[in-house]
Amino acid sequence: MSKKIIPFVVAFILVCLVMAVAGVFALSGAVTAEKFGSNVVWTQSYSTAESMKVIDLTGDGQDELFIQNTSDVTVYDGSGNVMWSFPYSSPKTTLGDVNNDGVEDIVVYYVGTGMSVDVISKGQVTTLAQTLSIGFPARVSVIRFSSGPQIVLGDSSGSILSLGLDGQPRWSAGLGSAEVRGMDDALIGGQPHAAIATNDGAVAVFDAQGTQVWSHSQEQLRRMRAFDLNSDGNSEVVTGGEYGAFYIYSAVDRSMLFEKSLGQAVSEVRVVELNGDPSSREIVVGGKDGGVWAFSFDGATASQMWSGSLSDKVTEISGLDINEDGKEEAVIGDDSGKVAIFTENGTRNNLPSHSSGITRIDIGKLGGERYVVIADGSQVQVNKVNFNSIPGFQYTPLIVGLIVSAVILVIAAIIASIPKKPEMKVSFQDKSRESLEAERRMLKESIADVERLRKSGEVTGDAYLARLKRLRADLAENEAAYKAAGHQIKVETFKCPNCGGTLELGMDKCEYCGQVILS
């Protein structure tokens, strides 16, 4: 191969590698000018929220902020002013229209006169039931069965009690022997049922009469949600285990639709519409060690979209279409106070950190503006999230790749255009007799060395002939210069130390006796 072609071959290989890497970065969207930020609108002191929701609780068409911790239930207006606040002992809450006035009510299951249930409607408190035959509050939900709504309670030992809207018990059941960790409505044939799970891994679906449709036992459980992921009128029950088991069951018959081990305890599960495609639903899962995974469910099974991570246990996940492109971003908080936004392809953007762990995140309109509400260990903060993007910046890696490729080709052309280094020749012009004799001696010794290497097999073929030809040409030039200077050429000889034969200087073997001579 010509030495002028080699630089271009190497350059072509480098250009292919550079453009391949540039294409990966451009098409994956890993390099973008998209940036999410936030500005704090208002903040209120509030300790360790357990439940929070932006919702209209007054019926005036304006959303309020409902929030609850272990000691009170509070509602703020859109500007951050307290509308009402009621003290409770160890309450668990849910939202639902209990009195059928078209406005959501707050249902509170708490330690009062025995175990009690209150309903807060438009700021007015009504005690629905007291001294109930159930234990310490763990979960409460309003399930709208086809026969009518029921308030379903779950305690810290797996006991379940259902109340009518009049406060009278409808049915009771036992599930496992540990705290109720999940309670949600699940559709079967379009009809609401109650999906309930306990910390020891018991999962069951109940109908309006309290009859188990099915039950199942899995590894110790941390989270359970029920969603109709493919809008077919039948829900899927999604569970996350203490040892990383992530399962999706059919609410109809408990058949396993998807299972995967995530390698760490599952701390949160939410549905976030990441890709904007209504034919599939996306599930975002958070782990105890900070892992984050996104799965797409197409109606039959789930497939992983991407994975990421935060600094600590994922405590809350919520979805918000921040840039109004029809796709939601996942807003995720962790136990160290970090808050991050993950996009459809898993790109992470950090929002300002909090001084304590994130307990709840919700999204909604307060005062006509859409906000992200973040509660941590000491306060609740309302943020306006913003989005900035430079169109076309996604393709910058390709432009950079083209520039780098052009530079590589220019360098290759420069290297190829460098003239061949001239062969070093010994010049005999303007030399003294002594120097010419010394050079003649050196050339003859070199010829003898080449002959010796040929005989020993160290140099053969074209290399031997080329080297011998060059040395003899140099010797001829030496003799010509010697004669041109008017000097008589005298053949230098020496005696063979073995047989005494006369040999020309430079020979390393006697022509008469074959003795090897070291000179």
Side-chain angles (χ1 to χ4, degrees):
M1 184 183 293
S2 172
K3 291 184 178 181
K4 291 185 177 294
I5 297 176
I6 292 175
F8 288 103
V9 173
V10 175
F12 176 76
I13 295 172
L14 292 176
V15 166
C16 290
L17 291 174
V18 168
M19 293 308 299
V21 172
V24 169
F25 274 92
L27 297 177
S28 68
V31 179
T32 67
E34 296 180 346
K35 183 175 178 60
F36 295 90
S38 66
N39 299 308
V40 178
V41 178
W42 55 261
T43 300
Q44 290 286 1
S45 295
Y46 197 85
S47 176
T48 317
E50 288 189 343
S51 183
M52 185 173 72
K53 183 68 177 176
V54 177
I55 192 170
D56 183 7
L57 294 171
T58 62
D60 62 355
Q62 297 292 318
D63 286 346
E64 290 78 40
L65 176 64
F66 153 75
I67 192 165
Q68 166 253 311
N69 62 13
T70 58
S71 59
D72 69 70
V73 174
T74 301
V75 174
Y76 296 95
D77 66 16
S79 300
N81 302 309
V82 176
M83 297 182 65
W84 64 79
S85 182
F86 301 104
Y88 282 98
S89 175
S90 303
K92 298 297 178 182
T93 57
T94 191
L95 300 172
D97 183 8
V98 175
N99 57 13
N100 294 313
D101 63 355
V103 178
E104 293 293 294
D105 305 310
I106 304 169
V107 179
V108 187
Y109 167 28
Y110 64 101
V111 179
T113 303
M115 299 301 134
S116 303
V117 174
D118 281 2
V119 175
I120 304 173
S121 178
K122 299 179 183 178
Q124 302 299 312
V125 179
T126 301
T127 297
L128 191 66
Q130 295 179 320
T131 61
L132 295 169
S133 57
I134 192 169
F136 194 82
R139 287 288 189 278
V140 57
S141 183
V142 175
I143 307 294
R144 297 195 170 277
F145 294 106
S146 56
S147 58
Q150 297 179 28
I151 300 170
V152 182
L153 314 176
D155 70 12
S156 59
S157 61
S159 294
I160 302 164
L161 177 64
S162 177
L163 305 177
L165 299 186
D166 57 1
Q168 296 301 310
R170 291 289 187 269
W171 53 267
S172 63
L175 183 64
S177 58
E179 177 188 14
V180 174
R181 296 299 298 266
M183 185 179 290
D184 214 341
D185 59 315
L187 296 176
I188 298 178
Q191 300 300 312
H193 290 65
I196 302 174
T198 58
N199 185 232
D200 56 5
V203 184
V205 172
F206 296 85
D207 65 14
Q209 290 73 45
T211 303
Q212 284 190 10
V213 178
W214 56 262
S215 64
H216 178 61
S217 180
Q218 63 165 70
E219 75 174 36
Q220 192 174 348
L221 184 144
R222 295 177 65 92
R223 283 292 179 271
M224 189 280 296
R225 308 282 185 194
F227 312 104
D228 184 2
L229 294 172
N230 54 357
S231 301
D232 65 349
N234 294 310
S235 291
E236 286 71 40
V237 178
V238 183
T239 67
E242 182 67 42
Y243 305 104
F246 175 61
Y247 297 146
I248 301 178
Y249 302 101
S250 168
V252 177
D253 57 8
R254 194 192 63 77
S255 57
M256 182 74 71
L257 302 177
F258 181 76
E259 59 180 314
K260 184 177 179 65
S261 177
L262 300 180
Q264 57 186 268
V266 175
S267 57
E268 190 54 279
V269 177
R270 296 287 186 184
V271 167
V272 180
E273 186 52 64
L274 290 170
N275 64 9
D277 182 359
S279 66
S280 65
R281 299 291 295 277
E282 290 74 59
I283 308 166
V284 179
V285 183
K288 186 178 180 181
D289 296 330
V292 181
W293 298 265
F295 298 91
S296 178
F297 188 84
D298 62 4
T301 187
S303 59
Q304 185 170 320
M305 298 173 64
W306 50 259
S307 63
S309 64
L310 271 76
S311 302
D312 208 333
K313 181 178 76 172
V314 174
T315 53
E316 185 65 298
I317 302 171
S318 193
L320 170 64
D321 183 4
I322 298 171
N323 52 5
E324 298 182 350
D325 62 352
K327 303 173 183 178
E328 289 185 338
E329 287 72 41
V331 186
I332 304 177
D334 72 10
D335 210 24
S336 70
K338 297 290 190 300
V339 182
I341 295 175
F342 287 83
T343 62
E344 175 192 7
N345 59 16
T347 302
R348 173 178 168 173
N349 293 264
N350 293 327
L351 294 183
S353 297
H354 290 237
S355 58
S356 57
I358 306 302
T359 58
R360 287 292 176 266
I361 297 175
D362 197 38
I363 293 158
K365 287 187 176 182
L366 291 172
E369 289 285 339
R370 198 168 192 194
Y371 296 124
V372 174
V373 186
I374 302 172
D376 60 28
S378 61
Q379 64 181 10
V380 57
Q381 187 182 88
V382 175
N383 299 266
K384 179 66 175 177
V385 177
N386 51 68
F387 169 77
N388 295 297
S389 176
I390 301 175
F393 189 84
Q394 174 184 353
Y395 302 103
T396 297
L398 293 177
I399 298 173
V400 174
L402 290 172
I403 294 172
V404 173
S405 299
V407 171
I408 291 173
L409 291 173
V410 169
I411 293 173
I414 293 172
I415 293 174
S417 65
I418 296 175
K420 184 179 179 182
K421 184 178 180 181
E423 184 179 344
M424 187 177 70
K425 280 182 77 77
V426 180
S427 175
F428 301 103
Q429 298 178 358
D430 301 325
K431 295 289 185 73
S432 66
R433 179 171 181 170
E434 290 77 11
S435 64
L436 288 170
E437 288 177 349
E439 288 165 351
R440 180 179 175 81
R441 180 189 297 270
M442 177 192 70
L443 290 169
K444 287 196 171 188
E445 290 177 350
S446 296
I447 290 172
D449 288 340
V450 171
E451 290 289 350
R452 185 173 63 253
L453 291 172
R454 181 185 67 82
K455 291 177 181 179
S456 65
E458 296 181 47
V459 61
T460 59
D462 294 340
Y464 161 73
L465 294 174
R467 179 64 178 156
L468 191 62
K469 182 179 179 181
R470 187 163 57 250
L471 290 171
R472 291 192 181 281
D474 291 343
L475 183 60
E477 285 188 15
N478 176 272
E479 290 179 354
Y482 208 86
K483 291 176 180 180
H487 307 306
Q488 184 178 359
I489 298 176
K490 179 183 178 182
V491 177
E492 298 180 59
T493 61
F494 67 98
K495 298 286 187 180
C496 173
N498 185 48
C499 67
T502 301
L503 302 173
E504 190 175 346
L505 185 66
M507 297 183 68
D508 60 352
K509 187 175 182 181
C510 179
E511 295 177 344
Y512 305 104
C513 67
Q515 176 68 35
V516 176
I517 300 166
L518 300 176
S519 59

